[in-house]
Amino acid sequence: MKVTRMELQPGVWLTAVQTKKFKSSVLGAQFLAPLTAQSAAVNALTPMVLRRGTAKHPDLESLSAALDELYGGSLEPMVRKKGETQCVGFVGSFLDDAYTLNKEQVLEPAAALLSELIGAPYTRDGAFCPDYTRQEKANLIDRIKAQVNDKRQYAQIRVVAEMCAGEPFGVDKLGSMEAVEAITPQTLWEGYQTLLNQARVELYYCGSADPERVQAAFHPLLTVLPAGKRAGLVRPAKKKAPKTPRRVEEALDVTQGKLAMGFRTNCDAWDEHYPALMLVNAIYGGTTTSKLFMNVREKLSLCYYASSGLMNDKDVMLVSSGVEFDKVGQAEGEILSQLYKCQAGDFSDDELEWARRSVVSTLRTTLDTQSRMEDYWLSQSAAGLTEGPDDMAARVEAVTRAQVVEAAQDLTLDTVYFLKGRE
């Protein structure tokens, strides 16, 4: 597997992963913009409306027919949050050229169709189609509303919003319903022009083609991207937790409480000691051999589930748990007790090695799945980092017990969110 990274023009980058491991190839184009409450909804809606049609293929039916001609390929709109950067665009999957019937080339026409979506959208009166805009606004509002249906995910969204209020990281990647409702075809078009002219662009390819051919295939896209200076990458600022943790309660029609706890880590993906923090997370709550799983869930039965996770592009760790309403105090106390054990170095050599094996395995198996690999390299690109999964795994292998304890001692409780049932 060979990974090549090159700047095709100012602010437009290509990550090309050459491998013969997969029968499909992946193409991607993402606009990277600062995450703000003012632009999040417009940016999130943009790829959804772009995907509805182009000047040449003005509706979903004709676009689908064009994809069918490419061995049933796909091009899907994507909206992601990487730290305090909003990433919007497309990811496509196509049959790799090595497996076509008559050695037909799929890469070039697939890249051309991607370029068409971005550079020649279907418009009316110099703006996006009103019907497409209205329909996709309704779909986006439905997605925002649906977030509350998954109560575990909803609790995580809410604790981040409360913990990072006033910070870009606290903004939802989809924006707010009020902001979506205010969008018009004209304001959406103007927002898209801002993306086209100012946002950093990350192009991606994974397949058997060599990097030079991939670069040539993306040339049609380069011709539709305006030349000029594009926004640089900004590292999110770190913040200290308040002396007294914030506490937020919300009541909904739920039969099981959701306790979400946000911690400041004083560490993120840019820091040299981030691999040590990855091991802290794995020992504490990131695996099925972790302290939260084995003690809070299994041994004490205080939670239906209890786990921790890092926001690697931000100095935040979240603990997520499902609890009985009357056990929330006990559960919170025991969750913190297990953290104190990590900070005191009260974990066995076996616990450390189980955590290490889990983190290393997760990193290395990233290379086995194209979707995970694409998402990994987008995260790295959004952070301005170039370290591959194997190199990161090697750094995790080298972390010492003392480094793990030191990283754990930087964790501080910032916000506690509890979703309870209505009286």
Side-chain angles (χ1 to χ4, degrees):
M1 187 175 292
K2 175 185 176 184
V3 180
T4 303
R5 181 133 172 98
M6 61 182 85
E7 189 173 23
L8 304 183
Q9 64 187 42
V12 181
W13 290 83
L14 168 64
T15 301
V17 181
Q18 186 178 15
T19 176
K20 295 182 179 179
K21 193 172 185 176
F22 308 104
K23 291 184 178 179
S24 59
S25 60
V26 170
L27 284 176
Q30 309 294 321
F31 292 96
L32 276 57
L35 183 62
T36 69
Q38 295 74 32
S39 63
V42 167
N43 290 347
L45 184 62
T46 295
M48 301 172 191
V49 175
L50 287 172
R51 182 58 178 80
R52 290 298 299 269
T54 70
K56 185 178 177 182
H57 301 95
D59 52 39
L60 284 173
E61 185 179 1
S62 57
L63 263 178
S64 296
L67 287 166
D68 286 342
E69 290 179 7
L70 299 174
Y71 288 86
S74 66
L75 270 173
E76 299 302 326
M78 300 290 288
V79 181
R80 287 172 280 187
K81 180 166 79 171
K82 301 294 183 182
E84 295 181 346
T85 298
Q86 189 181 22
C87 308
V88 301
F90 299 95
V91 174
S93 180
F94 299 89
L95 184 67
D96 193 271
D97 289 354
Y99 295 93
T100 57
L101 293 175
N102 300 306
K103 296 185 177 180
E104 298 156 276
Q105 293 186 340
V106 176
L107 170 58
E108 284 76 9
L113 187 59
L114 177 59
S115 303
E116 187 182 322
L117 279 175
I118 292 172
Y122 180 67
T123 60
R124 287 204 191 149
D125 301 322
F128 282 114
C129 171
D131 288 342
Y132 292 168
T133 302
R134 175 178 50 79
Q135 291 162 11
E136 293 304 326
K137 278 174 60 176
N139 290 338
L140 182 54
I141 288 171
D142 286 344
R143 281 183 64 182
I144 294 171
K145 287 180 178 177
Q147 289 176 332
V148 74
N149 295 335
D150 183 339
K151 299 300 189 293
R152 181 173 181 171
Q153 181 191 27
Y154 177 72
Q156 292 178 329
I157 292 172
R158 291 287 294 114
V159 74
V160 167
E162 294 289 343
M163 178 178 177
C164 300
E167 297 177 69
F169 194 72
V171 177
D172 191 289
K173 67 179 182 180
L174 300 179
S176 67
M177 285 190 288
E178 296 76 16
V180 176
E181 286 168 349
I183 295 172
T184 67
Q186 186 60 42
T187 59
L188 185 65
W189 181 256
E190 291 167 358
Y192 183 45
Q193 299 314 300
T194 300
L195 280 180
L196 275 175
N197 285 277
Q198 299 179 15
R200 183 185 177 98
V201 179
E202 287 289 341
L203 307 178
Y204 179 84
Y205 170 79
C206 177
S208 64
D210 62 73
E212 291 74 21
R213 185 182 161 202
V214 176
Q215 181 180 1
F218 273 116
H219 180 72
L221 180 54
L222 296 181
T223 64
V224 302
L225 292 173
K229 188 176 180 181
R230 294 180 176 273
L233 300 173
V234 178
R235 179 176 176 175
K238 294 176 184 175
K239 292 196 72 174
K240 289 186 177 180
K243 291 183 179 179
T244 302
R246 302 177 186 89
R247 293 190 172 272
V248 180
E249 283 194 357
E250 186 175 358
L252 291 174
D253 289 325
V254 293
T255 56
Q256 180 190 112
K258 305 297 179 186
L259 175 65
M261 301 168 67
F263 296 81
R264 295 288 180 176
T265 64
N266 192 36
C267 180
D268 53 31
W270 291 266
D271 288 304
E272 186 178 349
H273 55 287
Y274 184 70
L277 181 62
M278 295 172 76
L279 287 181
V280 173
N281 175 64
I283 294 168
Y284 179 47
T287 69
T288 53
T289 59
S290 68
K291 288 188 175 295
L292 292 185
F293 187 91
M294 298 300 293
N295 294 289
V296 183
R297 182 186 185 275
E298 295 293 297
K299 184 178 177 180
L300 299 174
S301 299
L302 288 173
C303 299
Y304 295 99
Y305 61 86
S307 63
S308 64
L310 294 174
M311 310 290 104
N312 61 309
D313 297 326
K314 180 67 175 174
D315 60 330
V316 171
M317 183 181 76
L318 300 182
V319 169
S320 177
S321 60
V323 300
E324 295 287 354
F325 302 136
D326 59 352
K327 290 184 178 179
V328 62
Q330 285 178 272
E332 181 185 330
E334 193 57 39
I335 287 169
L336 289 173
S337 174
Q338 297 303 322
L339 175 62
Y340 300 150
K341 288 183 178 181
C342 293
Q343 292 175 329
D346 184 6
F347 51 86
S348 69
D349 290 342
D350 282 343
E351 285 179 282
L352 176 58
E353 290 312 309
W354 291 335
R356 198 188 307 273
R357 295 277 70 78
S358 176
V359 173
V360 168
S361 175
T362 298
L363 284 165
R364 290 189 170 145
T365 55
T366 297
L367 302 172
D368 297 332
T369 309
Q370 284 184 303
S371 58
R372 284 177 59 194
M373 209 187 318
E374 186 272 338
D375 192 67
Y376 175 89
W377 283 114
L378 179 63
S379 293
Q380 292 295 85
S381 300
L385 302 173
T386 57
E387 187 175 38
D390 277 335
D391 293 332
M392 176 65 85
R395 284 212 287 149
V396 172
E397 294 273 22
V399 172
T400 66
R401 167 183 280 271
Q403 289 171 325
V404 172
V405 173
E406 185 179 1
Q409 290 171 349
D410 276 338
L411 290 169
T412 312
L413 181 61
D414 184 295
T415 301
V416 178
Y417 170 86
F418 182 53
L419 179 62
K420 61 182 182 179
R422 291 198 168 100
E423 297 293 344

